[in-house]
Amino acid sequence: MTKKKPDLVRIKTGVRNLDQLVLGGLPKGSVIVIGGPPGAGKTIFTQQICFHTASETQRVLYFNTLSEPTAKTLRYLSQFSFFDARKLDTAIQFIDLGAILRAQELEEISKVIMDHVKKVKPAIVVIDSFKVFDDLARSSEELRKFGYEIAVNLMAWESTTFLLGEYAAREIETNPLFSIVDGVVMITQREQSGEQQRFLQIVKLRGTAHDRDEHPFVITSDGVEVFAPRVTIHREDRGPGADRCKTGITKLDDLLGEGIPRGSSLLVAGVAGTGKTVLLLEFLYRGAKVGEKGVMLSFEETAERLLATARGLGWDLDREIERGMVEIVFIPQPDIMVEANLLMIQERVAARQARRVAIDSVSVFLHKVTDPRTNREKIFQLASIVQNTQAVGLFATDIPYGANQLSRFGVEETVVDGVILLTSTEEGFERQRYLEVYKLRNTAHLKGRHNMVIGRGGNHDLPALWPGGGAYRATASAFAGASSAHGGARPRRAVRRRLVRAKYDAGIRKPGDRQDHARAAVHRRGREAERARALHRARGRAGPDPPYRRGPGAVAGAGDHEGAGRAHVSPARAGPRRSVPDDPR
């Protein structure tokens, strides 16, 4: 029987998400180098740890060398929320070594530091900046000896030590200091995704199976905040449950069969103008009406514009927000920070206990990410947030015009559980919208495209989104069947007339549209006549132009021959005639 090895005593850093990268905290008594260029955030990072730990029993010694005077350091430090002036001189002591460094050798400086340590008995010791000793040492051997003495003496006092300096990554292999210390944390800043960002990487930390990736972080009035979704967002091992979600959009629920399994994420894909945002809004609104809380992250439309859209459709979404059932979070595109926003989404969904999540849209959210592998990873993390809370997520994504794909980046549909494809086609002088449940795991859903209409003004009783059903869907199916039977040509007038009548019955067309169709017919016939004349000239036939229709009756053109009153353009010459369906009345 093997004995369990004792765990190392660790100190909490107080830096958000950092402890999760190092198994709960930094090993007590470690000597750690904090390296990076000027302005990267080394001092603020270390001071935040000091103020979080400092107390009457856990004292901190902070040595300033030839970097910044103590008074200047405290003046800027007071701007942060973690700063506590009551801890100064009691729990935290700042000691300026500038004058001593200018007059004494390294050996004497080491004695001064250790005298203060013996007097205070600190839990944490900071030397800022330790890099100055590289310039004062006469050789690398002297520097190595000085660093070794400092490390060994401080470890004997079980003090956790931070040595700050303007060290570059290339010095890790050449500077003898890095072979002595227990840990190395590199803080850098560089341009990524079109903006300057700060990054933190734990290069070395003895006794700890730490994360080795670079993680972005920001410095706010609260101090340093590290973003590490790879570590903090884990997909829990949950199988598909029996509980399913009904969207509340009546005709759409007919297509989805038993409903969407809880914990599922669906991609709502389509080009601009196909109704993605409206579908997401109605999804949240219908959920709120049945007591399911929802969160919407918008990266394109402000909350007020989305609410105006809802009002235009007849939905009192303002009231649902006042009741706390719906939350809309708007993040402008220039302010998008993928790693930070992922953690924010996780917190908002968990805090509200949301059962419905809408992202509008993931194509904008990830527009700065150029690596397909990173895109896949971030979509997986979004889906994990939804699955872990057993919510249902709808993620809108834009498809480029003319592209034969299901998503913007081409990888999203392989990660999510379902895809709702929204399309639109021009039919005559109208553009028709269609909805297709392209994919939904563990669900027997209806297949094929179904006509979808966004009703004008909306209605409290009827959904604004109407995937075609009932008589309308049957007529549409007959329309498609007749079209296939004629090799793609228009079906018979009777079938088209039934389709138009069904639209009138559904309220999709209104009686006032009849005049618009009449005017459109006049323009169409003029174009047909022009095509007929062009075809006639192209064939090189002599004689006058062929007769054509102009308006409701047959009108002869210049040079028309006898019998023009009964003449019409031949479909064989002018192409298929695209007439507008008659008014069913």
Side-chain angles (χ1 to χ4, degrees):
M1 180 177 179
T2 58
K3 295 182 179 180
K4 183 180 179 180
K5 297 181 180 180
D7 295 330
L8 293 175
V9 178
R10 298 180 182 271
I11 61 171
K12 301 292 184 181
T13 63
V15 177
R16 187 183 180 192
N17 297 320
L18 178 61
D19 291 340
Q20 293 175 269
L21 303 180
V22 291
L23 296 183
L26 300 174
K28 183 179 179 180
S30 299
V31 178
I32 301 171
V33 170
I34 310 294
K42 302 182 298 296
T43 299
I44 295 174
F45 173 78
T46 308
Q47 288 173 343
Q48 185 173 347
I49 297 175
C50 292
F51 273 89
H52 176 76
T53 307
S55 66
E56 292 184 359
T57 58
Q58 299 283 324
R59 296 184 177 182
V60 175
L61 270 180
Y62 200 106
F63 293 98
N64 280 309
T65 57
L66 295 177
S67 53
E68 287 185 346
T70 301
K72 185 178 180 181
T73 300
L74 293 176
R75 183 168 69 250
Y76 290 112
L77 186 62
S78 63
Q79 305 299 312
F80 294 96
S81 61
F82 62 77
F83 176 78
D84 188 353
R86 296 171 298 179
K87 293 185 177 182
L88 296 178
D89 297 328
T90 55
I92 300 179
Q93 294 186 26
F94 286 85
I95 301 172
D96 196 337
L97 295 177
I100 301 174
L101 286 172
R102 290 190 292 269
Q104 300 186 21
E105 301 291 335
L106 289 184
E107 185 176 350
E108 297 298 324
I109 295 171
S110 177
K111 292 180 180 179
V112 171
I113 293 174
M114 292 312 303
D115 287 342
H116 282 87
V117 171
K118 292 175 184 178
K119 180 180 178 180
V120 177
K121 298 181 179 60
I124 294 179
V125 175
V126 179
I127 302 178
D128 184 9
S129 150
F130 198 80
K131 185 73 161 56
V132 70
F133 298 121
D134 290 10
D135 301 326
L136 297 178
R138 290 186 291 266
S139 65
S140 60
E141 290 78 8
E142 184 180 6
L143 177 64
R144 188 184 187 100
K145 180 181 178 181
F146 173 76
Y148 179 78
E149 289 179 354
I150 290 288
V152 171
N153 290 331
L154 292 175
M155 287 178 62
W157 286 91
E158 295 186 350
S159 297
T160 304
T161 305
F162 297 99
L163 308 179
L164 281 62
E166 297 75 24
Y167 298 105
R170 62 179 180 274
E171 295 184 67
I172 295 176
E173 299 178 0
T174 58
N175 194 317
L177 174 66
F178 291 93
S179 62
I180 299 172
V181 298
D182 303 300
V184 177
V185 178
M186 297 302 296
I187 298 177
T188 59
Q189 57 182 349
R190 66 175 183 273
E191 182 179 342
Q192 180 165 303
S193 300
E195 60 185 18
Q196 287 291 329
Q197 296 187 38
R198 291 182 169 97
F199 294 89
L200 180 146
Q201 182 181 20
I202 302 172
V203 180
K204 170 185 177 182
L205 191 59
R206 287 173 179 159
T208 303
H210 59 87
D211 182 88
R212 298 179 180 274
D213 293 328
E214 273 191 328
H215 298 283
F217 71 93
V218 295
I219 299 176
T220 67
S221 59
D222 294 327
V224 174
E225 182 176 355
V226 180
F227 305 121
R230 294 177 183 174
V231 178
T232 56
I233 300 178
H234 295 283
R235 175 166 290 192
E236 299 175 5
D237 188 13
R238 293 189 180 185
D243 190 17
R244 291 179 176 264
C245 170
K246 291 289 186 179
T247 66
I249 306 172
T250 308
K251 302 301 181 181
L252 178 59
D253 284 334
D254 293 341
L255 305 181
L256 294 173
E258 297 178 331
I260 304 173
R262 290 287 179 186
S264 299
S265 298
L266 282 73
L267 205 64
V268 180
V271 300
T274 51
K276 300 183 295 296
T277 300
V278 174
L279 178 58
L280 266 60
L281 280 175
E282 183 164 9
F283 173 66
L284 293 182
Y285 177 70
R286 301 297 171 189
K289 298 295 285 185
V290 296
E292 293 187 357
K293 294 183 178 181
V295 175
M296 182 172 190
L297 275 295
S298 174
F299 301 99
E300 300 182 72
E301 298 285 350
T302 62
E304 183 54 41
R305 289 177 65 89
L306 291 173
L307 289 174
T309 300
R311 295 186 201 109
L313 293 168
W315 304 328
D316 194 1
L317 196 57
D318 300 78
R319 182 173 180 273
E320 301 304 329
I321 291 178
E322 293 175 359
R323 293 200 306 135
M325 298 302 297
V326 175
E327 180 182 12
I328 298 177
V329 181
F330 170 63
I331 301 175
Q333 294 186 30
D335 298 340
I336 292 175
M337 295 185 62
V338 175
E339 308 286 339
N341 296 150
L342 277 169
L343 295 180
M344 183 269 292
I345 293 171
Q346 182 185 37
E347 293 171 354
R348 292 291 182 96
V349 172
R352 190 164 289 273
Q353 296 181 338
R355 302 289 282 170
R356 301 189 180 206
V357 180
I359 309 293
D360 188 21
S361 64
V362 292
S363 50
V364 175
F365 179 47
L366 301 176
H367 77 282
K368 295 180 181 179
V369 180
T370 57
D371 186 1
R373 295 172 298 180
T374 305
N375 277 309
R376 182 188 296 272
E377 178 185 4
K378 301 310 170 188
I379 295 295
F380 179 81
Q381 290 168 353
L382 277 174
S384 297
I385 293 173
V386 172
Q387 178 174 312
N388 293 344
T389 56
Q390 287 297 286
V392 172
L394 295 188
F395 306 154
T397 182
D398 295 321
I399 300 176
Y401 279 102
N404 186 24
Q405 58 192 61
L406 295 175
S407 60
R408 167 67 66 171
F409 307 110
V411 298
E412 301 94 309
E413 64 270 22
T414 64
V415 180
V416 296
D417 303 291
V419 177
I420 295 178
L421 184 61
L422 304 181
T423 56
S424 64
T425 58
E426 185 177 358
E427 299 178 5
F429 294 96
E430 294 183 354
R431 182 165 289 278
Q432 301 292 337
R433 292 185 176 94
Y434 292 93
L435 182 148
E436 178 184 0
V437 182
Y438 186 89
K439 159 189 172 183
L440 185 56
R441 291 170 180 160
N442 304 313
T443 303
H445 59 85
L446 293 182
K447 300 179 181 179
R449 294 198 312 167
H450 303 269
N451 192 271
M452 183 185 79
V453 175
I454 301 177
R456 297 177 181 177
N459 193 290
H460 285 290
D461 300 322
L462 296 176
L465 286 172
W466 292 3
Y472 183 25
R473 185 171 62 187
T475 307
S477 301
F479 183 96
S483 177
S484 301
H486 287 77
R490 289 287 184 180
R492 296 190 307 272
R493 179 181 295 268
V495 176
R496 291 171 54 218
R497 186 174 296 166
R498 289 203 306 273
L499 176 59
V500 174
R501 181 175 291 109
K503 289 185 177 182
Y504 274 102
D505 294 338
I508 299 167
R509 284 191 178 180
K510 299 179 180 179
D513 295 341
R514 183 176 182 181
Q515 290 79 4
D516 296 335
H517 293 310
R519 285 192 293 270
V522 172
H523 292 295
R524 186 191 67 254
R525 289 165 183 163
R527 289 195 299 271
E528 290 177 349
E530 184 61 32
R531 287 197 299 270
R533 286 196 294 268
L535 182 62
H536 184 80
R537 295 191 189 98
R539 291 179 175 176
R541 295 185 177 180
D545 287 346
Y548 60 95
R549 290 186 181 272
R550 181 181 299 156
V555 181
D560 283 350
H561 53 76
E562 185 180 359
R566 300 186 300 276
H568 63 276
V569 178
S570 171
R573 294 188 179 183
R577 182 179 177 184
R578 302 174 64 186
S579 60
V580 175
D582 293 340
D583 191 300
R585 300 172 299 164

